[in-house]
């Protein structure tokens, strides 16, 4: 015979088999949360608290690489003194790192 017989499919799997096939996906989602999302949320929280605690006289590094001392703080902008008498205005969100006092003198 040239045409093979068609047989019925196997009976549907039990609900426990469906749960076991979904379990690896759930484990991957949990690992993804704890290894990627949660640390990123912690870094964002730390950065937000650092930006809120900035005050006049702090030495900072911006994301553009400018190193300076904060002269004036506004709601969204800060004024950085990057050299004697040279003041630049940058967005507060560009501040990347708060440096220890006296770091600029050592540069």
């Amino acid at each position: 015979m040239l045409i093979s017989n068609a047989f019925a499919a196997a009976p549907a799997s039990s609900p426990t088999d469906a749960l076991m096939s979904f379990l690896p996906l759930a484990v991957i989602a949990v690992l993804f949360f704890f290894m990627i999302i949660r640390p990123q949320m912690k870094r964002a929280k730390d950065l937000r608290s650092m930006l809120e605690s900035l005050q006049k006289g702090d030495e900072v590094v911006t994301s553009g690489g400018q190193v300076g001392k904060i002269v004036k703080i506004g709601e969204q902008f800060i004024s950085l003194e990057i050299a004697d008498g040279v003041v630049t205005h940058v967005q507060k969100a560009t501040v990347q790192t708060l440096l220890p006092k006296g770091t600029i003198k050592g540069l």
Side-chain angles (χ1 to χ4, degrees):
M1 185 173 224
L2 297 175
I3 300 174
S4 61
N5 294 334
F7 296 104
S13 62
S14 67
T16 58
D17 289 341
L19 179 65
M20 293 307 278
S21 66
F22 181 69
L23 187 63
L25 185 61
V27 169
I28 289 172
V30 169
L31 286 175
F32 184 77
F33 177 77
F34 281 106
M35 295 183 74
I36 296 174
I37 296 173
R38 192 164 181 232
Q40 179 61 31
M41 288 170 42
K42 184 180 182 309
R43 277 193 297 270
K45 181 181 173 187
D46 291 343
L47 181 63
R48 197 175 322 114
S49 67
M50 186 264 301
L51 289 176
E52 290 171 358
S53 69
L54 288 177
Q55 53 189 346
K56 186 177 176 181
D58 284 344
E59 297 176 358
V60 296
V61 177
T62 66
S63 58
Q66 285 186 342
V67 178
K69 182 184 269 187
I70 296 177
V71 177
K72 179 180 164 187
I73 298 179
E75 190 67 30
Q76 293 183 0
F77 291 91
I78 61 173
S79 299
L80 286 181
E81 184 178 25
I82 56 175
D84 290 333
V86 180
V87 177
T88 61
H89 304 286
V90 296
Q91 285 187 338
K92 204 175 198 180
T94 62
V95 174
Q96 190 171 8
T97 309
L98 180 62
L99 300 172
K101 300 277 184 187
T103 303
I104 293 177
K105 291 180 183 175
L107 294 177

